[in-house]
Amino acid sequence: MPEWLALTLEGIVVGVFILIMYAVLAIILIYMERKVCAAFQCRIGPNRVGGKGGLLQVPADVIKILTKEIITLKNADRFLYNLAPFLVILASILTFSCLPWNKGGEILHMNIGIFFVLAASSIGVLGILLAGWSSNSKYTLIGAVRSGAMIISYELSIGICVLTMVVLSGTMDIQAIVANQADGWNLFKGHIIAIAAFIIYLIAGNAEANRGPFDLAEAEQELTAGYHTEYSGMHFGFFYLAEYLNLFITAGIATTLFLGGWMPLHISGLDGFNQVMDFIPGIVWFVGKTFAVVFLLMWIRWTFPRLRIDQVLTLEWKYLMPVSLVVLLLMTVCKVFGLVF
């Protein structure tokens, strides 16, 4: 087989695999969100509708969204209107491809992997801004501007927290960051500084994914549905899928940077316990930790009320941003003087 044909077939197989995983994880996360929501707010619907345990509701929603008509707005910028959902999906898939599921088990691997993740994830805000502007609607435009201002603001805190872990690990290679946690997860090796960075990352990551209490772009009481009000069918489905996969990606990056990624839990002095932990496959560790963080983020969403736009930006620029800079400075000083493991 010619080399070009082999590479082409490999690319097609990998692409199909990514899309299948993308869809399966989205369905799991949607079902999980409904069950968590039902548990936290004592809702009966998600536990009863659609058969036993509500299992049939998600497939029904999938069939409905696949069969819905994709409308075309009369006065919209059609090219940008149709391009926006694909930009959001592209950013999500590129970032998703960098997650280290196991040792050597990521699709995209490079020595500046975590830098690439930050760059690729930033593409999504372009899709949101284009969606709001090209729809020629004041509601979508306000939602897009809100979302753009919030995402760009909180990206700074996320980047600084990621840089803090890069300083601790001494590398931007995602697999190397995980390998450096073989003798202890960064959350414990970095002590209070790493814990502070972890908390800031979770708050900023929740805002980056446009999830409550930061879901101002989709404030239904004010903006109908925000930047995707004028979208229907699978165009809306792309935005919907991207939100849930961005939630998983946020949790996956948190797991990689702070919780050891696919590394098992090791406790110094307990050799028997450590050997048992080593029998558990790395992919099980990664998925388990990631879903634990996903549950924590869902817990936050269904606990706190939505913030106002001024409160959202004040939280970032007045509190999170300065604190994250102090955390980075402290981690740098500790690393230089050997005060962290």
Side-chain angles (χ1 to χ4, degrees), residues 151-286:
I151 291 176
I152 292 171
S153 297
Y154 280 88
E155 274 181 355
L156 297 173
S157 290
I158 288 181
I160 293 172
C161 291
V162 169
L163 187 57
T164 302
M165 292 299 102
V166 169
V167 170
L168 178 60
S169 303
T171 178
M172 288 194 292
D173 187 325
I174 293 179
Q175 283 291 350
I177 291 174
V178 176
N180 286 337
Q181 300 178 69
D183 56 344
W185 299 349
N186 283 340
L187 187 65
F188 306 126
K189 292 168 67 176
H191 305 299
I192 297 177
I193 301 174
I195 294 174
F198 182 61
I199 294 173
I200 294 172
Y201 176 87
L202 289 182
I203 296 173
N206 225 15
E208 184 82 359
N210 258 331
R211 293 180 55 81
F214 303 97
D215 56 337
L216 291 187
E218 304 170 25
E220 295 89 350
Q221 298 89 338
E222 308 164 34
L223 303 175
T224 310
Y227 60 89
H228 55 63
T229 298
E230 306 296 345
Y231 285 88
S232 65
M234 274 311 298
H235 278 172
F236 166 76
F238 286 159
F239 288 113
Y240 195 60
L241 289 176
E243 177 183 328
Y244 279 97
L245 262 295
N246 287 339
L247 171 65
F248 185 85
I249 291 165
T250 298
I253 297 300
T255 297
T256 301
L257 294 176
F258 298 95
L259 304 177
W262 46 263
M263 278 290 176
L265 174 64
H266 287 164
I267 300 177
S268 179
L270 299 180
D271 294 337
F273 174 82
N274 295 339
Q275 289 178 1
V276 172
M277 294 297 101
D278 288 336
F279 280 114
I280 302 175
I283 189 171
V284 175
W285 279 107
F286 180 80

Side-chain angles (χ1 to χ4, degrees), residues 74-86:
K74 182 178 179 181
N75 297 319
D77 185 321
R78 294 193 178 185
F79 175 73
L80 297 180
Y81 177 83
N82 293 321
L83 177 64
F86 291 97

Side-chain angles (χ1 to χ4, degrees), residues 17-18 21-22 25 29 91-110 113-114 116-118 120-121 173-176 178 201 244-257 261-262 282-283 286-287 289-291 294:
F17 175 76
I18 292 175
M21 284 292 297
Y22 199 89
L25 279 172
L29 289 167
S92 185
I93 289 178
L94 284 175
T95 314
F96 181 72
S97 301
C98 295
L99 294 179
W101 298 85
N102 205 342
K103 186 175 183 180
E106 77 278 26
I107 296 167
L108 295 179
H109 179 236
M110 56 196 78
I114 200 65
F116 177 82
V117 166
L118 291 175
S121 63
D173 187 325
I174 293 179
Q175 283 291 350
V178 176
Y201 176 87
Y244 279 97
L245 262 295
N246 287 339
L247 171 65
F248 185 85
I249 291 165
T250 298
I253 297 300
T255 297
T256 301
L257 294 176
W262 46 263
I283 189 171
F286 180 80
V287 173
K289 294 174 189 176
T290 301
F291 271 100
V294 166

